[in-house]
């Protein structure tokens, strides 16, 4: 399944999420990365819980080998 994940897309949005202080932008970026990796539902709801944000960051770290 990981062969279908666009790693550069995930990297770009995790970087943007880490670079902003805006919770709205952080959630939007992590929603995009999370749905790309299929670790959160693709339901249009980018109001992520702290647990969902951490799930996305953990999955990105695993996928990217700690490069996020």
């Amino acid at each position: 399944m990981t062969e279908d994940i666009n790693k550069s897309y995930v990297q770009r949005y995790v970087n943007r999420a880490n670079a902003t202080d805006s919770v709205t932008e952080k959630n939007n970026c992590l929603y995009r990365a999370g749905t790309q990796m299929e670790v959160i539902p693709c339901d249009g709801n980018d109001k992520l819980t702290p647990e969902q944000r951490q799930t996305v960051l953990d999955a990105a770290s695993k996928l990217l080998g700690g490069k996020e």
Side-chain angles (χ1 to χ4, degrees):
M1 200 65 154
T2 59
E3 64 275 357
D4 296 334
I5 298 172
N6 184 332
K7 290 182 182 181
S8 64
Y9 181 90
V10 171
Q11 181 74 62
R12 178 174 48 248
Y13 282 104
V14 168
N15 287 346
R16 283 183 59 185
N18 287 332
T20 187
D21 291 328
S22 166
V23 174
T24 301
E25 184 175 357
K26 185 180 296 283
N27 279 342
N28 184 269
C29 291
L30 292 177
Y31 173 79
R32 290 169 184 254
T35 57
Q36 173 65 213
M37 296 182 292
E38 299 180 351
V39 297
I40 59 172
C42 184
D43 59 7
N45 181 8
D46 69 351
K47 292 173 180 62
L48 304 181
T49 66
E51 293 80 14
Q52 287 174 309
R53 287 192 293 272
Q54 192 59 53
T55 296
V56 173
L57 291 171
D58 291 347
S61 181
K62 183 176 178 181
L63 175 72
L64 302 170
K67 297 179 190 173
E68 82 303 333

